[in-house]
């Protein structure tokens, strides 16, 4: 790969090979700033008949080339580098989630401890974790072996034991995995990569347990002592092996690897990378979500702690039926303010599942789909909160005074009150006809508290920027701030259960706009504030509610606008909708009206 | 752009079908290149290593794992039967010996010095791969499988449950819009591939299970009925391992929907012919649709297709089916393909096309919501 | 554990029936026909509803003495009851009137005075004499019994009816709640801080390749705390079995060791890992308190368990154990009902179950209907205590009889509860409906 | 290496000191036990007896004194860390006490309470000469504990170990039953009764405010502690406040008890040190 100094980079080409489409973007240096300029798309060509990923990549790049009037590919369909005049680009980078991305099996001793660390390492590296084998997963050894056999992961990560800790359990796990002889997904052309990131003293025994049929490697322990996690080495090793083994055996990837100027990253890993970089640079807590057809990824950075979860079967097309099964129909329909026939809907859901590419045509279908997405996001976030916890198994240092607040480890580090930025991406969120709908879905599903800025990834270029951040962080940051995010506005909400018919909070806005007033319990109000505007908002909540400074304490902050503006949310947290105690359908209709979510008056009033 | 790629389901009267029949692990192939095979012939066979029975012998004998080696009465590699003395502890002064008699049969595979675990491996599990379609072996992948080619009538369904099944075709519903009810299913259809019309009812499926049908094929199914049959709400469209008796295939979708006229006609024209059916569906990357394969007697000269996704080109005049509400299930012809995206009722902008329905009505739908009915 | 407890329950039932049967037989033997007193002077009756240690002596009095005794101001002497094992033998005084110790009663119509004579031995024959003992001068024999009298034991001791009532209410509510729990009604128990730490502590031990130490106190099996400790052991051991970690249980009583082994085996069985059970892990050390402590803390320092549980009755050893555990960096969870030892555990352990939380803990952990029900029943007992204390204090304050105040307190409580119930029905609705 | 040297020197020095003290103690009482004979029994002699010349050194008691002192030091050595000296002391204590309790159990429980009841004749001849050889009428009932005991021992026979569950159940069951009555009576009713105090104490001159406050505070404390131990209600809202108060009361109690017990422990330590300094080494500050 040619080494170019970052200053000389003017034209950057980035692709993301998804499982169905390959998306390419071009970033150019204009007036000293990096801007994203053109984008192209083409179907991914990993599977038959093309069976060569570079064809799709070339098609997408060709589209950019046409749009930009720039010659990017030569006669052999190879990328022209470096950029010269109106030809070529300086660097080319790519991510990949084609063929289902990187699928891993992880193992650890205690499910909540080393196995959780191993899972975090794998998820952080951008993998989908197929299963976790742990000593206490309540399965019998033969069931575990059966499971290992059934799965066809791309890679296995073994953890377990602190350094100097248990050897017995670690070797026992190895004794389960070795005889099961796991088969890699992409045929038998290569040996299954197995990474050992457990008790280093157990390594010789683990090594003896495996024979030559696997590619065994060792990295530093993910949990050298129980009180500390060390995920970096394992993540790096996963990336290396992903390239070396998994990618290299997918059709056409050898060529793609040769093209790129930076190692290919799994798409979710790249998204996490950019989010982490942004949160670090701006000193904020951020949550990102990518809701796809089959899975929903949630990324969070709280106090510098990065976490990612993949909710494998929560998605809007392939998995839509599963969302309905998990959330149950009544929970979905509580977000719907018009009458719908449940039996009919069930069949529609299944039809969407078997024909996942269809899009809602009628308003009614859109309303339903957005209701489903609220539940999918809510469930995914719930899973994320359960997973993103402080470490478990840490000895507590206590004084006598602590006796009566005996907390244990493993509390969620996700705190909606501390959340500063919520970024949405994925079809149903990005392609919603109105930004208000995106904002409403985010607020209803994630229930942000206090002051939270909402944004959406305009054309899902976070993966590209994630890889770019590795080679050229400055360019990645500039593009992220200028072109990647479309700010929707700021949600201001109070935590706690508001007293019905009482004022939830009073607000006073100064700055580019001025306004003041009261928000009643259960009320939702939108105040327009454009993306380039700023305002100072002061909130005085009811004495039972908390806006960030404690119950009844007022909070003042500067907020940024967006296409939607400021959303003042007096519905309280947790947000209870439906059922007999929650907000009624009438309330939901009022919210729809307040945010002007859907145009069709006849539908809105036909409740 | 005057055309677009859309998914479509193959419904072909006559085609050359190549199927790859691959073993999950390497084994032996029983046929030779050029050989004619019947659908239910076993073409390849492999032995999956047997189940593993880990036994924590060190604990059972109350000895240290390191000493376990000395207590073993069987060597690694020895055959162990149920009740065999597997190990005996040394005891004190030759007294108080503890014995362990094996509770499972297998081959002693390993004795661990660290964990005190002994691993017995049960008898290998044979896996057989059948030919699936009657045809000719055209390629052999040594130790892995074969490719079989056959001239067939080939019909893809949209969704199915259950795995491979074989049987003669028996028509239960004479018209494609007739709902498949229990009374349509006769006892003589036992072992047959039953062809229904529109939705298959819960009772009809129950009857099919009762008489032991090989498969039931119909236009649609109600989600509630599917839930009743499976016993759970299907979340993800990855099927093939269900074991309800007959394999079920729906050709159009969920709800009250008639089977496509052409599909029904094709299936009826092969009444009595042997068919191979596979209900396995996987709607994910690497999509797999259920299929009905009816081998034809004589070799026709026609296009060769591989199993897999079929893509067609959307052009004016092409017959399509609308696959999304509010027009779900309607069939029509592409009238125009406006190149500019248009705003839909939902407020979204999307690429659209206009369709002339069978009743002459012209409607505007997003291109994503149509499906080519291939021929 | 479940199965062994079933066995134990069955065993209790059988043993009880054996004991009852033998008691009935024994009682039948001792019942002898009543000898009617043919001499009329003293009427001796067995006292009803007692333990068989007292008789009622009724002294028929002449008008002279009756008046004299009724008017205490005038009495210039005592009525003395003498008792002897043989007729005409040495009568020793066993009771006198006045003063009235609360057992003496006048009968105006019959002109008699009845009193109780206690601390008698069953099966023994007694003769009585009632004499007048003036302040100065000799005794005057007023009446005597000529036939021997025996005291008899009844099935129930009437005086303890309060106890019986409270016992029945508490046991009844325990059984009631057990039945409710068995019918599948979810019984909520509040979170007990520190219990969730069991998984964490055992997990830590597993990961670090160390053992889990469980000390069930230093008392024998007849201490209820030891039993509660063993109940918690069953949960700890089950968790450990799932994690495949070793639980070491040094005991200071042989019986506790036996019970601990039983518990461990049951836990390993119910965790589906009977092969991982190693009886040697529960062992007897010594009965000697400090010998035991020395051995346990020695082994703690040597084997460095990563998790230590102290559940049961502890005395002076609590601080030694807890400090040793703390020094080796183990997660420690303690629970005891010995008030004097709680401060040490609180100071040195990560989590402490205080007093009754120890007993509640096993119910909370298992969620078994029997245990949850008994916990709920005990809560009923606590309500009784609270009502009793409040009533007693009010009674003491306004100087009225206890039962009188109790009536009012109960009525007030009932009214308040009723109002609360009605109000809560109106305002609150069932929680968010989540079907499926 | 250096550590070992240091410790060797220290220990040798200690031994040397102990011996030199024993040798050169001016009163000749360090490291020795004197005895005198009173009515044919040997009892401990004090300084006066020695001055009177009726005491003599008892070698076996002196050995006992040294063993006690050395073991005390061995146990103290645990304060530094685990070491072989501690292990020796620990094992000895454990072994001796276990054996001791076994013997005690046999002679003070089994023999007089079981065998003596069942076969007094044999026991009289063999172990308890004071016993009446006649079997008591109730003696035969003791066959039941004997059978239960034997059943308990069935644990040693693996195939019949289930039998031992029965006596175990009997023990647990009867204990629970007996304890419950005792508990209800002693802890439940009597404790309730003891807390019956007037909340407002009237005296002849009016209200005794201090006493009233004390009583009220006590009752409120009891009730709030009771709320803390009430498991049916989640600690939220008002209940949380009350139980928090209960917690504070508990904490104060714990603090007081902590102090008291620590004082007790220090006294124990003092006794041990006193033994070492005075009885063993005869070092007295006066």
């Amino acid at each position: 790969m040619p080494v170019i100094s970052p200053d000389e980079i003017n034209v950057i080409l980035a692709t993301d090979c998804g499982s169905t489409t390959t998306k390419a973007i071009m970033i150019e240096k204009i007036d000293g700033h990096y801007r994203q300029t053109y984008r192209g798309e083409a179907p991914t060509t990993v599977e038959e008949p093309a069976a060569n990923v570079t064809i799709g990549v070339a098609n997408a790049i060709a589209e950019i080339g046409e749009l930009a009037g720039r010659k990017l590919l030569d006669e052999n369909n190879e990328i022209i580098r470096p950029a010269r005049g109106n030809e070529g680009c300086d660097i080319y980078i790519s991510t990949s989630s084609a063929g289902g991305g990187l699928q891993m099996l992880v193992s650890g001793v205690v499910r909540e401890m080393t196995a959780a660390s191993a899972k975090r390492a794998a998820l952080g590296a951008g993998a989908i974790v197929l299963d976790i084998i742990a000593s206490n997963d309540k399965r019998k050894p033969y069931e575990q072996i059966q499971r290992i056999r059934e799965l066809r992961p791309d890679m296995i990560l073994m953890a377990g034991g602190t350094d100097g800790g248990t050897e017995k359990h670690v070797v026992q796990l190895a004794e389960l995995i070795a005889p099961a002889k796991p088969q890699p997904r992409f045929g038998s052309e290569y040996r299954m990569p197995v990474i050992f990131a457990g008790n280093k003293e157990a390594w010789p025994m683990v090594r003896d347990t495996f024979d030559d049929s696997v590619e065994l490697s060792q990295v530093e322990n993910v949990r050298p002592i129980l009180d500390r996690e060390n995920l970096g080495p394992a993540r790096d090793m996963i990336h290396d092996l992903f390239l070396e083994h998994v990618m290299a055996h997918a059709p056409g990837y050898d060529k793609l690897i040769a093209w790129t100027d930076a190692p290919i990253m799994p798409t979710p890993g790249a998204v996490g990378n950019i989010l982490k970089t942004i949160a670090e640079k701006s000193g904020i807590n951020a949550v990102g979500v990518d809701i796809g057809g089959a899975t929903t990824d949630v990324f969070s950075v709280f106090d510098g702690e990065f976490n990612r979860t993949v909710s494998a079967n929560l998605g809007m097309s392939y998995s839509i039926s599963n969302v309905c099964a998990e959330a149950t129909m009544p929970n979905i329909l509580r977000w719907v303010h018009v009458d719908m026939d449940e039996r009919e809907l069930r069949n529609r859901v299944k039809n969407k599942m078997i024909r996942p590419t269809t899009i809602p045509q009628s308003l009614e279908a859109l309303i339903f789909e957005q209701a489903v997405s609220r539940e999918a996001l809510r469930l995914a976030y719930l899973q994320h909160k359960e997973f993103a916890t402080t470490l478990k198994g840490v000895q507590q240092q206590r004084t006598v005074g602590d006796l009566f607040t005996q907390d244990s480890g493993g509390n969620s580090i996700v705190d909606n009150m501390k959340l500063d930025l919520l970024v949405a991406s994925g079809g149903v969120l990005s392609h919603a006809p109105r930004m208000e709908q995106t904002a409403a879905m985010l607020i209803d599903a994630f229930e942000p508290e206090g002051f939270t800025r909402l944004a959406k990834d305009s054309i899902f270029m976070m993966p590209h920027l994630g890889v770019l951040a590795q080679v050229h962080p400055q360019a990645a940051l500039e593009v992220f701030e200028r072109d990647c995010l479309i700010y929707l506005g700021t949600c201001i909400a109070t935590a706690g259960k508001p007293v019905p018919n009482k004022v939830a909070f009073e607000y006073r806005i100064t700055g580019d706009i001025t306004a003041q007033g009261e928000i009643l319990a259960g009320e939702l109000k939108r105040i327009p504030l454009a993306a380039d505007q700023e305002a100072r908002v002061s909130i005085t909540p009811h004495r039972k509610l908390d806006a960030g400074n404690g119950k009844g304490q007022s909070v003042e902050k500067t907020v940024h606008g967006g296409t939607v503006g400021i959303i003042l949310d007096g519905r309280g947290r947790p947000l209870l909708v439906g059922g007999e105690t929650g907000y009624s359908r009438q309330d939901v209709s009022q919210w729809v009206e307040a945010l002007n979510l859907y145009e069709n008056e006849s539908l809105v009033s036909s409740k | 752009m005057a055309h677009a790629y859309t998914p479509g389901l193959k419904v072909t009267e006559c085609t050359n079908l190549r199927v790859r029949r691959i073993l999950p692990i390497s084994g032996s192939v029983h046929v030779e290149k050029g050989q004619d095979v019947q659908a239910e012939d076993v073409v390849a066979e492999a032995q999956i290593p047997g189940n593993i029975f880990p036994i924590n012998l060190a604990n059972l004998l109350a000895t240290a794992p390191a000493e376990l080696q000395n207590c073993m009465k069987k060597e690694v590699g020895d055959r162990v039967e149920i009740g065999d003395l597997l190990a005996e502890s040394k005891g004190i002064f030759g007294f108080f010996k503890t014995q362990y008699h094996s509770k499972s049969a297998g081959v002693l595979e390993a004795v661990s010095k660290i964990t005190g675990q002994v691993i017995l491996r049960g008898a290998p599990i044979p896996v057989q791969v059948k030919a699936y379609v009657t045809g000719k072996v055209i390629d052999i992948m040594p130790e892995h499988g074969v490719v079989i080619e056959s001239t067939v009538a080939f019909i893809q369904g949209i969704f199915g449950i259950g795995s491979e099944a074989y049987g003669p075709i028996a028509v239960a519903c004479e018209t494609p819009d007739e709902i498949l009810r229990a009374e349509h299913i006769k006892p003589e259809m036992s072992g047959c591939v039953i062809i229904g019309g529109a939705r298959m009812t819960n009772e009809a499926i129950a009857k099919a299970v009762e008489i032991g049908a090989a498969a039931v094929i119909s236009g649609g199914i109600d989600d509630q009925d599917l839930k009743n049959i499976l016993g759970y709400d299907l979340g993800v469209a990855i099927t093939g391992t269900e074991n309800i008796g007959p394999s079920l295939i729906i050709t159009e979708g969920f709800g009250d929907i008639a089977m496509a006229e052409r599909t029904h006609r094709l299936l009826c024209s092969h009444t009595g012919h042997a068919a191979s059916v596979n209900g396995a569906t996987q709607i994910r990357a690497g999509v797999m649709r259920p299929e009905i394969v009816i081998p034809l007697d004589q070799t026709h000269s026609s296009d060769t297709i591989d199993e897999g996704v079929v893509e067609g080109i959307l052009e004016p005049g092409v017959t399509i089916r609308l696959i999304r509400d509010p027009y779900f299930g309607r069939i029509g012809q592409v009238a125009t393909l406006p190149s500019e995206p248009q705003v839909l009722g939902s407020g979204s902008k999307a690429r659209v096309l206009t369709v002339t329905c069978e009743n002459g009505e012209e409607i505007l739908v997003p291109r994503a919501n149509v499906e080519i009915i291939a021929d | 554990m479940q199965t062994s407890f079933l066995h134990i329950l069955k065993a209790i039932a059988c043993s009880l029936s054996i004991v009852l049967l033998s008691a009935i037989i024994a009682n039948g033997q001792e019942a002898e026909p009543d000898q009617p007193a043919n001499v009329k002077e003293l009427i001796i009756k067995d006292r009803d509803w007692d333990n068989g240690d007292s008789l009622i002596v009724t002294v028929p009095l002449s008008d002279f003495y009756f008046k004299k005794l009724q008017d205490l101001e005038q009495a210039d002497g005592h009525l003395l009851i003498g008792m002897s094992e043989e007729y005409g033998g040495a009568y020793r005084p066993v009771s006198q009137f006045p003063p009235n110790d609360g057992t003496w009663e006048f009968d105006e119509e019959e002109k008699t005075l009845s009193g109780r004579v206690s601390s008698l031995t069953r099966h023994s024959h007694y003769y009585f004499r009632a004499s007048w003992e003036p302040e100065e001068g000799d005794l005057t024999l007023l009446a005597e019994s000529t036939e021997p009298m025996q005291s008899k034991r009844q099935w129930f001791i009437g005086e303890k009816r309060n106890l019986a009532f409270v016992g029945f209410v508490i046991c009844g509510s325990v059984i009631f709640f057990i039945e409710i729990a068995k019918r599948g009604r979810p019984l909520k128990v509040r979170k007990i801080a520190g219990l969730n730490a069991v998984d964490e502590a055992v997990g830590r031990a597993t990961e670090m390749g160390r053992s889990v130490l469980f000390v069930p106190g230093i008392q024998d099996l007849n201490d209820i705390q030891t039993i509660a400790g063993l109940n918690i052991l069953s949960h700890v051991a089950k968790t450990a079995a799932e994690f495949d970690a070793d639980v070491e249980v040094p005991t200071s009583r042989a019986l506790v060791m036996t019970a601990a082994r039983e518990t461990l085996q049951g836990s390993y069985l119910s965790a589906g890992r009977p092969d991982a059970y190693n009886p040697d892990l529960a062992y007897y050390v010594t009965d000697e308190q400090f010998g035991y402590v020395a051995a346990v803390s020695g082994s703690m320092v040597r084997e460095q368990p990563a998790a230590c549980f102290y559940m049961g009755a502890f005395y002076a050893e609590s601080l030694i154990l807890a400090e040793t555990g703390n020094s080796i960096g183990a997660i420690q969870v303690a629970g005891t009902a010995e008030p004097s030892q709680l401060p040490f555990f609180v100071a040195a352990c990560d989590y402490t179950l205080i007093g009754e939380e120890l007993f509640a803990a096993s119910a909370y952990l298992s969620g078994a209907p029997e245990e949850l029900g008994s916990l709920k029943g005990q809560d009923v007992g606590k309500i009784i205590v609270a009502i009793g204390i409040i009533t007693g204090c009010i009674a003491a304050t306004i100087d009225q009889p206890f039962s009188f105040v109790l009536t009012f307190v109960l009525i007030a409580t009932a009214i308040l509860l009723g109002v609360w119930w009605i109000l809560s029905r109106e305002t609150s609705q069932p929680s968010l409906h989540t079907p499926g | 290496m250096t550590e070992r040297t240091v410790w060797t020197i220290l220990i040798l020095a200690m031994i040397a000191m102990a011996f030199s003290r024993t040798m050169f103690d001016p009163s000749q009482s360090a490291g020795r036990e004197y005895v005198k004979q009173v009515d044919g029994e040997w009892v401990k002699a004090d300084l006066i007896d020695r001055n009177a010349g009726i005491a003599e050194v008892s070698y076996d008691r002196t050995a006992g004194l040294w063993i006690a002192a050395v073991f005390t030091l061995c146990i103290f050595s645990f304060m530094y860390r685990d070491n072989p000296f501690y292990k020796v002391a620990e094992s000895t204590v454990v072994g001796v006490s276990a054996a001791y309790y076994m013997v005690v159990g046999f002679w003070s429980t089994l023999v007089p309470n079981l065998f003596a009841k069942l076969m007094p004749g044999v026991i009289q001849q063999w172990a308890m000469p004071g016993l009446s050889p006649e079997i008591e009428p109730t003696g035969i009932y003791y066959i039941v504990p004997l059978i239960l005991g034997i059943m308990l021992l069935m644990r040693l026979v693996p195939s019949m170990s289930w039998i031992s569950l029965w006596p175990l159940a009997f023990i647990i069951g009867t204990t629970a039953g007996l304890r419950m009555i005792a508990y209800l009576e002693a802890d439940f009713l009597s404790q309730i009764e003891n807390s019956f105090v007037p909340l407002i104490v009237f005296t002849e001159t009016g209200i005794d405010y201090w006493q009233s406050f004390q009583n009220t505070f006590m009752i409120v404390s009891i009730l709030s502690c009771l709320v803390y131990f009430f498991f049916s209600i989640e600690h939220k809202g008002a209940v949380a406040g009350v139980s928090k108060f209960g917690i504070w009361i508990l904490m104060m109690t714990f603090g007081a008890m902590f102090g008291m017990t620590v004082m007790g422990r220090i006294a124990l330590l003092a006794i041990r040190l006193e033994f070492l300094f005075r009885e063993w080494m005869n070092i007295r500050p006066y």
Side-chain angles (χ1 to χ4, degrees), chain D residues 27 46 93 110 133 142 151 187 194 204 232-233 260 265:
Chain D
S27 67
D46 55 16
V93 172
L110 271 187
Y142 285 82
M151 281 163 80
D187 291 0
N194 287 341
E204 276 147 34
S232 296
I233 302 178
M260 241 159 62
R265 297 295 156 75

Short mmCIF file of all heavy atoms in Angstrom, two decimals, chain D residues 27 46 93 110 133 142 151 187 194 204 232-233 260 265:
data_model
loop_
_atom_site.label_atom_id
_atom_site.label_comp_id
_atom_site.label_asym_id
_atom_site.label_seq_id
_atom_site.Cartn_x
_atom_site.Cartn_y
_atom_site.Cartn_z
N SER D 27 13.71 -14.89 91.43
CA SER D 27 12.77 -15.56 92.34
C SER D 27 12.61 -17.04 91.98
O SER D 27 11.83 -17.74 92.60
CB SER D 27 11.42 -14.85 92.31
OG SER D 27 10.85 -15.03 91.03
N ASP D 46 1.85 -21.23 95.73
CA ASP D 46 2.24 -19.85 95.46
C ASP D 46 3.54 -19.52 96.20
O ASP D 46 4.19 -20.38 96.80
CB ASP D 46 1.11 -18.89 95.83
CG ASP D 46 0.67 -19.07 97.26
OD1 ASP D 46 1.43 -19.69 98.01
OD2 ASP D 46 -0.43 -18.61 97.59
N VAL D 93 -4.27 -28.09 68.16
CA VAL D 93 -5.51 -27.69 68.80
C VAL D 93 -6.69 -28.43 68.19
O VAL D 93 -7.54 -28.99 68.89
CB VAL D 93 -5.71 -26.16 68.69
CG1 VAL D 93 -7.08 -25.78 69.19
CG2 VAL D 93 -4.65 -25.44 69.47
N LEU D 110 -22.96 -40.49 75.92
CA LEU D 110 -23.35 -41.84 75.52
C LEU D 110 -23.47 -42.75 76.73
O LEU D 110 -24.50 -43.40 76.92
CB LEU D 110 -22.32 -42.41 74.55
CG LEU D 110 -22.57 -42.14 73.07
CD1 LEU D 110 -21.55 -42.92 72.24
CD2 LEU D 110 -23.97 -42.59 72.70
N PRO D 133 -28.09 -50.84 89.58
CA PRO D 133 -28.12 -51.81 88.49
C PRO D 133 -29.53 -52.10 87.99
O PRO D 133 -29.71 -52.78 86.99
CB PRO D 133 -27.47 -53.04 89.10
CG PRO D 133 -27.64 -52.89 90.56
CD PRO D 133 -27.73 -51.43 90.87
N TYR D 142 -35.29 -45.55 75.98
CA TYR D 142 -34.02 -45.09 75.40
C TYR D 142 -33.58 -45.93 74.22
O TYR D 142 -32.60 -45.64 73.56
CB TYR D 142 -32.93 -45.03 76.48
CG TYR D 142 -33.11 -43.84 77.38
CD1 TYR D 142 -34.00 -43.87 78.44
CD2 TYR D 142 -32.41 -42.67 77.14
CE1 TYR D 142 -34.20 -42.79 79.25
CE2 TYR D 142 -32.60 -41.57 77.94
CZ TYR D 142 -33.49 -41.62 79.00
OH TYR D 142 -33.67 -40.53 79.77
N MET D 151 -29.29 -45.55 63.11
CA MET D 151 -29.72 -45.16 61.76
C MET D 151 -28.82 -44.06 61.20
O MET D 151 -28.48 -44.03 60.02
CB MET D 151 -31.18 -44.68 61.79
CG MET D 151 -32.19 -45.81 61.83
SD MET D 151 -33.80 -45.23 62.33
CE MET D 151 -34.39 -44.53 60.82
N ASP D 187 -39.23 -14.89 73.08
CA ASP D 187 -38.89 -13.74 72.25
C ASP D 187 -40.12 -12.96 71.82
O ASP D 187 -40.08 -11.76 71.68
CB ASP D 187 -38.13 -14.21 71.00
CG ASP D 187 -36.78 -14.73 71.38
OD1 ASP D 187 -36.47 -14.71 72.57
OD2 ASP D 187 -36.04 -15.16 70.49
N ASN D 194 -42.72 -6.69 77.33
CA ASN D 194 -41.73 -5.80 77.95
C ASN D 194 -41.73 -4.41 77.32
O ASN D 194 -41.23 -3.48 77.91
CB ASN D 194 -40.33 -6.40 77.82
CG ASN D 194 -40.17 -7.56 78.77
OD1 ASN D 194 -40.93 -7.67 79.72
ND2 ASN D 194 -39.21 -8.42 78.49
N GLU D 204 -47.03 12.73 89.63
CA GLU D 204 -47.92 13.53 90.47
C GLU D 204 -47.82 15.01 90.12
O GLU D 204 -48.77 15.77 90.23
CB GLU D 204 -47.59 13.29 91.94
CG GLU D 204 -48.28 12.05 92.47
CD GLU D 204 -47.46 11.35 93.53
OE1 GLU D 204 -46.78 12.05 94.29
OE2 GLU D 204 -47.51 10.11 93.58
N SER D 232 -42.55 -8.08 53.11
CA SER D 232 -43.58 -8.10 52.07
C SER D 232 -43.65 -6.80 51.29
O SER D 232 -44.20 -6.76 50.21
CB SER D 232 -44.95 -8.37 52.69
OG SER D 232 -44.95 -9.65 53.27
N ILE D 233 -43.11 -5.75 51.85
CA ILE D 233 -43.24 -4.45 51.20
C ILE D 233 -41.87 -4.00 50.71
O ILE D 233 -40.89 -4.04 51.44
CB ILE D 233 -43.81 -3.40 52.17
CG1 ILE D 233 -45.17 -3.87 52.69
CG2 ILE D 233 -43.96 -2.06 51.47
CD1 ILE D 233 -45.78 -2.92 53.68
N MET D 260 -18.34 -2.38 72.80
CA MET D 260 -18.36 -3.24 73.98
C MET D 260 -17.57 -4.53 73.73
O MET D 260 -16.77 -4.95 74.56
CB MET D 260 -19.80 -3.61 74.30
CG MET D 260 -20.26 -3.14 75.64
SD MET D 260 -22.05 -3.08 75.68
CE MET D 260 -22.51 -4.75 75.41
N ARG D 265 -12.65 -8.13 73.86
CA ARG D 265 -11.54 -8.81 73.18
C ARG D 265 -10.20 -8.35 73.73
O ARG D 265 -9.27 -9.13 73.88
CB ARG D 265 -11.58 -8.54 71.67
CG ARG D 265 -12.77 -9.05 70.99
CD ARG D 265 -12.82 -10.56 71.05
NE ARG D 265 -14.19 -11.01 70.89
CZ ARG D 265 -14.83 -11.01 69.75
NH1 ARG D 265 -14.22 -10.63 68.66
NH2 ARG D 265 -16.07 -11.41 69.69
#
